Amino acid sequence: MDLSIITVTWNSEEQISTQLKSARQGAVNLDIEQHVIDNGSKDNTVDIVKKQFPDVHLIVNKVGKGFGGGNRQGAEASSPDVRYYLFLNPDMKVEKGSLDTFVAWMDKHPDVGIASPKLIDEHGKLNMDATPRRFPRVWEQVAVILKIPHVFPAVLHKYMMKGIDADIEQDVDTVRGSFMLMRKEMVDKLGWSWDPRYFIWYEDVDICREAKRLGYRVVHTPIISATDYIGQSFKKRDTLWKQKNFTKSMLTYFKKWEPWYMWMWIALFRPVGIAMAWGSDMFHKK
């Protein structure tokens, strides 16, 4: 088995059909399998997969297990002889034959543990919200919690790799979890595909850091491109829910990788960010 394509859904009825069709068209000569892990959708996502894609392996969670948990379920359900996992968000669109090209590229680069392509928007332009990023530093993430970049965006330019030339293949710290090709050999060495400590957010940053710890490269390559519509499910969540989960995972990440005198600043300012999010939701409700 060449490739296991794993997609975690939550209320994704508008996107899932297009994504699954495009993924099939993307793999012309590959032996693939497709897995959809649904995290308790209340819309027609599950029915669409059942009726339109009966050969797709569907796992329906009555209680959401988060992005990392759902992806981990998909990896565990994959064929034991699969060579690569492709973690692909439901709001992605893959070009015909592109997965053949991407897997062939990966075969030629055995030192790469994780790779991601050039991610574009629906107009074919580079999606600046989906470019690689550097590993986060504590002070930058405190600034994010306090919304400082809304006033002074330059404080995140280094972290966001402002000015990156996405047409150049390059080693990076992290790539987006929305389209992540991962070598199974690396997963076997690690013992899991996604750290179970995370529910949503930061798990893609974490797995990239784990890959580097094991001696693998993390690479952005423009050898193919894919359309990323970004965060369609998240738009259905309120600000408070997002802030609570985002900062919880942020704290989990820094507790794992940094000493206490670093992560304590995240713990200190997290309640401030949550209070600001609550205030924002109350304002918009009024």
Side-chain angles (χ1 to χ4, degrees):
M1 180 70 66
D2 295 311
L3 185 65
S4 180
I5 305 174
I6 299 165
T7 299
V8 177
T9 55
W10 181 76
N11 292 344
S12 306
E13 64 180 6
E14 297 95 343
Q15 301 89 29
I16 189 60
S17 180
T18 298
Q19 190 260 43
L20 290 173
K21 289 177 182 177
S22 76
R24 287 182 176 179
Q25 294 171 352
V28 178
N29 298 308
L30 295 174
D31 183 15
I32 70 166
E33 59 186 14
Q34 290 174 287
H35 303 267
V36 169
I37 299 85
D38 187 79
N39 272 333
S41 291
K42 303 300 182 183
D43 64 2
N44 294 316
T45 300
V46 171
D47 288 339
I48 290 171
V49 176
K50 285 181 177 179
K51 293 176 181 178
Q52 297 184 21
F53 305 93
D55 54 337
V56 169
H57 179 225
L58 175 65
I59 298 174
V60 179
N61 294 323
K62 292 183 178 180
V63 177
K65 296 183 180 297
F67 181 72
N71 276 325
R72 199 164 55 251
Q73 281 182 287
E76 291 169 355
S78 297
S79 299
D81 62 340
V82 72
R83 299 193 298 124
Y84 299 106
Y85 300 114
L86 174 59
F87 299 99
L88 189 68
N89 274 9
D91 51 2
M92 295 290 308
K93 184 179 179 182
V94 175
E95 297 302 316
K96 185 176 181 179
S98 61
L99 297 183
D100 296 77
T101 301
F102 208 13
V103 167
W105 179 91
M106 200 76 159
D107 286 341
K108 295 177 182 178
H109 298 81
D111 57 341
V112 176
I114 297 173
S116 190
K118 180 180 178 180
L119 299 179
I120 58 176
D121 62 22
E122 60 268 35
H123 305 295
K125 296 181 179 180
L126 177 66
N127 199 325
M128 294 306 300
D129 291 328
T131 55
R133 297 179 183 178
R134 292 186 171 88
F135 288 129
R137 293 177 291 182
V138 168
W139 72 266
E140 292 166 333
Q141 301 309 294
V142 169
V144 170
I145 291 174
L146 300 178
K147 309 301 180 186
I148 292 174
H150 290 201
V151 182
F152 303 105
V155 300
L156 292 184
H157 281 181
K158 184 173 183 179
Y159 166 62
M160 300 287 288
M161 298 185 70
K162 184 75 171 178
I164 184 175
D165 187 345
D167 292 318
I168 296 177
E169 187 172 293
Q170 53 197 292
D171 284 44
V172 294
D173 285 347
T174 74
V175 293
R176 304 287 283 180
S178 57
F179 188 123
M180 184 178 281
L181 186 62
M182 191 179 299
R183 191 176 299 276
K184 183 176 183 290
E185 170 195 286
M186 187 198 80
V187 173
D188 290 341
K189 289 181 180 179
L190 189 57
W192 38 262
S193 53
W194 300 83
D195 192 320
R197 281 173 279 193
Y198 301 90
F199 180 76
I200 187 73
W201 278 297
Y202 279 86
E203 58 275 276
D204 50 354
V205 180
D206 181 87
I207 191 63
C208 288
R209 193 157 180 173
E210 290 284 11
K212 287 178 175 286
R213 182 181 64 82
L214 292 175
Y216 289 95
R217 296 166 60 205
V218 175
V219 176
H220 160 84
T221 175
I223 193 169
I224 68 166
S225 62
T227 304
D228 190 346
Y229 295 95
I230 296 187
Q232 297 304 306
S233 292
F234 286 135
K235 292 179 180 178
K236 302 169 186 177
R237 294 288 193 178
D238 60 35
T239 304
L240 181 60
W241 184 93
K242 288 185 282 190
Q243 186 70 3
K244 281 182 176 180
N245 284 280
F246 176 69
T247 55
K248 180 180 179 181
S249 290
M250 181 190 295
L251 184 58
T252 298
Y253 173 84
F254 283 106
K255 279 186 173 182
K256 177 177 177 178
W257 294 103
E258 302 291 349
W260 70 269
Y261 54 83
M262 298 291 285
W263 60 255
M264 64 171 283
W265 296 104
I266 304 295
L268 180 65
F269 285 101
R270 183 178 180 237
V272 178
I274 291 173
M276 292 169 64
W278 176 84
S280 175
D281 281 344
M282 291 300 101
F283 175 80
H284 286 99
K285 285 180 181 179
K286 291 181 179 180

